[in-house]
């Protein structure tokens, strides 16, 4: 919970892989004035089904309303809340940092500590890729605070429940 008593909820939502589904889900949030902290969408092992991972923050009542409203959408097949202790959630970040021969060694050291991959190097820039929890990504970015970040992109959270999922029965 944050200082305002709000909780962060991460939902894994299976939906029909049809046009307009993303718009309907996002529209549900915007019509009710709810903010989406993070949203990722991709096809599953079944090409007719997509998985949306939605992170939202609010009080218990708002989060309960979000789940209830989502379950009413025709395209929604299943909604599972991803809890930290029973799921694996990850995020990807690509960061392009201004780098010269004097800063490259230090940037490589930071990348190695976080197990980030250097995916591109030019005479002026170094691009690093890191996958991990949101807190790991945040810590990595914070450590790069003394460097000039030219560009940064984050994918948003995605995740699955660990091991056996009772919904699979």
């Amino acid at each position: 919970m944050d200082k305002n008593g709000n909780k962060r909820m991460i939902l894994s939502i299976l939906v029909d892989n049809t046009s307009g589904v993303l718009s309907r889900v996002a529209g549900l949030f915007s019509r009710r004035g709810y903010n989406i902290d993070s949203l990722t969408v991709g096809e599953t092992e079944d090409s007719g089904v997509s998985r949306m991972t939605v992170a939202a923050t609010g009080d218990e009542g708002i989060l309960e309303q979000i789940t209830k409203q989502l379950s009413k959408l025709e395209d929604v097949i299943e909604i599972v809340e991803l809890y930290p202790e029973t799921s694996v959630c990850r995020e990807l970040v690509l960061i392009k940092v201004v780098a010269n021969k004097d800063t490259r060694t230090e940037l490589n050291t930071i990348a190695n500590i976080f197990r980030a991959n250097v995916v591109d190097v030019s005479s002026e820039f170094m691009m690093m890729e890191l996958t991990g929890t949101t807190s790991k990504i945040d810590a990595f970015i914070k450590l790069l605070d003394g460097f000039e970040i030219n560009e940064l992109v984050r994918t948003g959270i995605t995740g699955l429940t660990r091991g056996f999922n009772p919904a699979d029965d």
Side-chain angles (χ1 to χ4, degrees):
M1 282 206 201
D2 67 10
K3 59 186 173 195
N4 299 324
N6 289 325
K7 173 187 162 195
R8 185 167 204 204
M9 175 175 67
I10 301 172
L11 297 175
S12 178
I13 308 165
L14 290 178
V15 296
D16 294 325
N17 188 9
T18 57
S19 63
V21 175
L22 176 58
S23 178
R24 286 188 284 282
V25 170
L28 181 145
F29 278 79
S30 65
R31 281 190 307 278
R32 287 162 181 78
Y34 304 147
N35 187 45
I36 296 174
D37 298 334
S38 171
L39 171 66
T40 60
V41 184
E43 199 175 87
T44 66
E45 69 283 357
D46 176 351
S47 63
V49 177
S50 289
R51 182 179 306 276
M52 294 183 166
T53 307
V54 180
T57 304
D59 63 33
E60 290 289 335
I62 287 173
L63 297 179
E64 186 177 326
Q65 274 303 322
I66 289 171
T67 305
K68 284 180 181 178
Q69 295 298 319
L70 284 169
S71 66
K72 291 179 183 179
L73 291 177
E74 181 178 310
D75 303 301
V76 172
I77 299 166
E78 178 185 54
I79 302 170
V80 175
E81 185 169 354
L82 299 179
Y83 298 100
E85 60 277 358
T86 58
S87 61
V88 175
C89 293
R90 294 292 183 263
E91 187 174 356
L92 168 73
V93 65
L94 290 173
I95 304 175
K96 187 172 16 170
V97 182
V98 174
N100 57 41
K101 61 181 180 176
D102 299 328
T103 59
R104 267 193 187 67
T105 303
E106 192 173 356
L107 286 167
N108 269 316
T109 301
I110 294 169
N112 288 335
I113 290 168
F114 281 85
R115 294 191 176 106
N117 296 315
V118 175
V119 293
D120 188 55
V121 177
S122 70
S123 59
E124 299 175 37
F125 301 103
M126 177 182 284
M127 187 183 306
M128 295 172 279
E129 164 193 83
L130 178 64
T131 303
T133 62
T134 300
S135 60
K136 180 179 180 177
I137 303 284
D138 290 341
F140 182 63
I141 293 168
K142 188 173 177 121
L143 228 95
L144 295 174
D145 193 32
F147 298 93
E148 185 181 340
I149 295 175
N150 179 263
E151 290 183 279
L152 181 146
V153 64
R154 294 173 83 150
T155 59
I157 297 169
T158 192
L160 294 171
T161 56
R162 293 180 182 274
F164 174 74
N165 183 358
D168 291 339
D169 279 345

